[in-house]
Amino acid sequence: MALVIAGERSGVGKTTVTLTLLASLHRRDRLVQSFKVGPDYIDPMFHQHVTGRACRNLDPVLTSEAYVQQCFAHHSQLSEYALVEGVMGLFDGVSSLVISPLSFASDQGLMTNDKGQITDFASTAHIARLLDLPVVLVIDCSRLSGSVAAIAHGYRSFDPRIKIAGVVLNRVGSDRHLSLLKDSLKPLHLPILGVMRRQDNITIPDRHLGLVPTAELPELNALIDRLADLGDTCFDWQRLLPLLKSESFSFSASSSLSASFPVRIAVARDRAFNFYYQDNLDLLQQLGAELVFWSPLEDADIPKDIQGMYFGGGFPEVFAQQLAENTSVRDAVKKAILKGIPTVAECGGLMYLCEQIIDFEGKSWSMAGVLPTSAVMGGRLTLGYRRAVALQDNLLVKANTTVYGHEFHRSHLTLTPTQPLFETSRYDCDENMGCEGWGLPANIHASYVHQHWGESREIPQQFLKECLKVASSTTWI
């Protein structure tokens, strides 16, 4: 079966409910594989901290519907239980063109608009349909009582293909409040699978891009223990455990990787750089690469004998002073890139390659100085899926190649590249979002657009081919 945890909207407590379930299962020594709908990086960090297993992203925009099915089938079968945390509200997605005629789409019950687009593509509901999984709906009850039945009934009846297994009532205030909620739901015969009271001692801090990552929370283990204590008592485990049980799935497996690239890739991973899709790292290793994890914050030098570098996203602006003070590493990174080491830098990684980061207080901090521009933090949030067309051959893709990615940042660059990597547009329409990405020197790929390589394996293959050229030359770092 496995189970999807969905919310009636953002902010209702999906992540808290999910972590509570995972913590309680882990305390019972149950092997559980978690998944996260969408492009999120931080929620999966919390999942992994609790379960000890890498959380996998399920995102048909960044990959494909088939990849979502294959990824879920493969990883869920390696564990006893499987749990999927949704994104936003249950039916909140993006628009995507329907390949089949509208008449067919209508016959299949797809929610479309007059432009022939599926309107809940990449939503939690879409993933639940793709995987044929039941849904537990989390409802924030803090400001309602009798209306809970209308909400539950509406979500259960809106799309009959979605199987609502039950509800979790979150932020319940008192016994009287719970009694009113139960009385209201009774005519629906919809199981109440959990009741979570208002918790003043369970708070996960957040900041400008969401939750604070796990590596920055010294009291996290104590918080997880409190969640496990809560989970032991607030859920109807007799009903939940059979729903969470992982079973075999028949989705076809993806093609195997045969190429071998025996190279060493330095992967920056610490408190400043930690936004990586585990599937991307797995693909590099499956292709033969040795990943050497290191810290631009703490280490005195970059790893030795490497033929490539990978800087993921994260929060370099939060640690800008410490990054700036580590001058030996900044100099080593610049030297390595100028000597020709192929380097991928996404979002926060791009910022690190700039001349400076200017933080929210207007203070300037020197960075690696590879790119002739500065990253300036601001209040404006750039957020959304992107369709990006390569304007030239570059480190990862050929000219005119279309890739799909996601942007999520509050910084902007003071100068734009003279020869940008991509022309970008919104994923769900033709709205042009401008040109972006740095490909000079030619051995770098620095972009705000985060990519998941699961359905585009030629990208890591191309990266490693370029790294292999370094390995076969005398230019070793």
Side-chain angles (χ1 to χ4, degrees):
M1 292 284 286
L3 198 59
V4 177
I5 304 299
E8 25 99 6
R9 62 185 186 278
S10 293
V12 299
K14 290 188 306 295
T15 299
T16 301
V17 170
T18 300
L19 292 178
T20 303
L21 283 165
L22 293 176
S24 191
L25 285 168
H26 187 67
R27 173 179 284 181
R28 297 163 184 237
D29 293 324
R30 306 298 180 119
L31 191 61
V32 56
Q33 175 64 55
S34 69
F35 301 86
K36 172 64 182 179
V37 179
D40 192 286
Y41 287 103
I42 300 178
D43 286 355
M45 294 181 197
F46 283 85
H47 290 207
Q48 181 169 350
H49 186 88
V50 174
T51 66
R53 300 172 65 87
C55 175
R56 305 288 168 164
N57 291 77
L58 304 176
D59 192 319
V61 175
L62 299 184
T63 58
S64 69
E65 291 180 314
Y67 185 85
V68 166
Q69 293 175 325
Q70 294 161 5
C71 177
F72 179 81
H74 173 70
H75 292 287
S76 63
Q77 291 179 34
L78 302 177
S79 62
E80 185 180 4
Y81 297 97
L83 186 65
V84 180
E85 180 185 349
V87 61
M88 300 176 65
L90 177 57
F91 298 102
D92 296 328
V94 297
S95 297
S96 181
L97 289 175
V98 179
I99 303 301
S100 303
L102 280 177
S103 57
F104 173 84
S106 178
D107 291 341
Q108 297 299 308
L110 299 178
M111 292 185 289
T112 60
N113 58 22
D114 57 4
K115 296 179 181 179
Q117 295 175 316
I118 303 175
T119 55
D120 70 340
F121 192 84
S123 67
T124 306
H126 181 202
I127 300 303
R129 294 195 303 266
L130 274 180
L131 304 179
D132 192 25
L133 298 180
V135 171
V136 170
L137 185 67
V138 179
I139 302 177
D140 179 359
C141 302
S142 59
R143 292 179 176 84
L144 55 84
S145 55
S147 299
V148 69
I151 294 172
H153 174 69
Y155 276 81
R156 184 169 66 172
S157 60
F158 184 71
D159 184 348
R161 295 167 299 164
I162 301 299
K163 297 172 290 188
I164 303 292
V167 296
V168 170
L169 307 180
N170 193 25
R171 298 169 185 154
V172 176
S174 64
D175 290 343
R176 173 58 178 161
H177 187 198
L178 178 59
S179 178
L180 292 171
L181 295 168
K182 287 182 174 180
D183 289 345
S184 179
L185 288 167
K186 190 175 296 183
L188 298 182
H189 303 290
L190 189 62
I192 298 174
L193 299 177
V195 175
M196 295 180 65
R197 303 296 183 113
R198 293 173 186 163
Q199 302 292 326
D200 295 331
N201 66 332
I202 297 179
T203 302
I204 304 175
D206 58 10
R207 61 175 172 229
H208 55 278
L209 292 181
L211 297 179
V212 174
T214 54
E216 299 179 51
L217 300 176
E219 304 298 323
L220 182 57
N221 287 334
L223 172 64
I224 298 304
D225 285 340
R226 291 197 294 273
L227 289 175
D229 292 339
L230 177 63
D232 290 344
T233 58
C234 74
F235 295 122
D236 185 343
W237 286 105
Q238 188 172 357
R239 283 175 164 168
L240 273 174
L241 282 178
L243 294 173
L244 288 161
K245 191 74 174 178
S246 182
E247 296 181 357
S248 296
F249 295 85
S250 59
F251 305 125
S252 59
S254 57
S255 58
S256 60
L257 298 172
S258 57
S260 180
F261 302 92
V263 296
R264 282 166 53 90
I265 308 296
V267 181
R269 188 163 68 179
D270 56 19
R271 290 169 296 155
F273 306 100
N274 45 39
F275 288 6
Y276 296 97
Y277 294 122
Q278 184 63 42
D279 289 10
N280 286 8
L281 301 178
D282 288 351
L283 281 169
L284 291 173
Q285 291 178 312
Q286 290 165 17
L287 286 164
E290 176 189 355
L291 304 186
V292 185
F293 297 102
W294 71 289
S295 171
L297 283 173
E298 306 290 346
D299 292 341
D301 200 353
I302 63 176
K304 301 299 183 183
D305 298 331
I306 59 169
Q307 296 84 49
M309 294 191 294
Y310 186 5
F311 293 89
F315 292 99
E317 67 275 14
V318 175
F319 303 96
Q321 180 175 354
Q322 188 175 347
L323 289 169
E325 290 173 349
N326 196 346
T327 56
S328 62
V329 161
R330 289 195 289 112
D331 293 343
V333 167
K334 183 175 183 178
K335 178 182 177 182
I337 292 175
L338 294 182
K339 287 187 68 174
I341 292 293
T343 301
V344 175
E346 294 179 331
C347 200
L350 174 152
M351 296 166 63
Y352 182 64
L353 298 189
C354 291
E355 292 179 343
Q356 295 175 320
I357 288 178
I358 302 173
D359 64 21
F360 286 108
E361 296 177 353
K363 296 179 180 178
S364 298
W365 305 100
S366 295
M367 293 293 120
V370 177
L371 307 178
T373 185
S374 296
V376 182
M377 302 306 301
R380 179 176 176 269
L381 176 63
T382 300
L383 169 67
Y385 289 111
R386 299 290 181 260
R387 182 171 58 249
V389 179
L391 296 173
Q392 56 185 311
D393 291 352
N394 59 67
L395 178 65
L396 299 185
V397 296
K398 299 294 184 183
N400 299 317
T401 301
T402 299
V403 299
Y404 297 94
H406 187 262
E407 282 193 77
F408 190 35
H409 54 92
R410 289 192 184 274
S411 67
H412 67 274
L413 302 183
T414 55
L415 293 176
T416 55
T418 56
Q419 299 182 48
L421 293 178
F422 297 117
E423 181 177 18
T424 64
S425 60
R426 282 180 46 181
Y427 170 79
D428 55 352
C429 69
D430 293 328
E431 180 183 346
N432 189 288
M433 301 300 293
C435 296
E436 76 92 48
W438 294 75
L440 291 176
N443 55 299
I444 67 169
H445 185 283
S447 170
Y448 270 123
V449 178
H450 292 280
Q451 294 182 51
H452 189 299
W453 298 334
E455 196 73 342
S456 305
R457 300 182 176 195
E458 64 278 3
I459 291 178
Q461 287 177 331
Q462 177 60 31
F463 175 44
L464 295 183
K465 283 180 183 177
E466 295 301 316
C467 295
L468 195 61
K469 293 178 182 178
V470 174
S472 62
S473 73
T474 58
T475 311
W476 282 54
I477 300 299

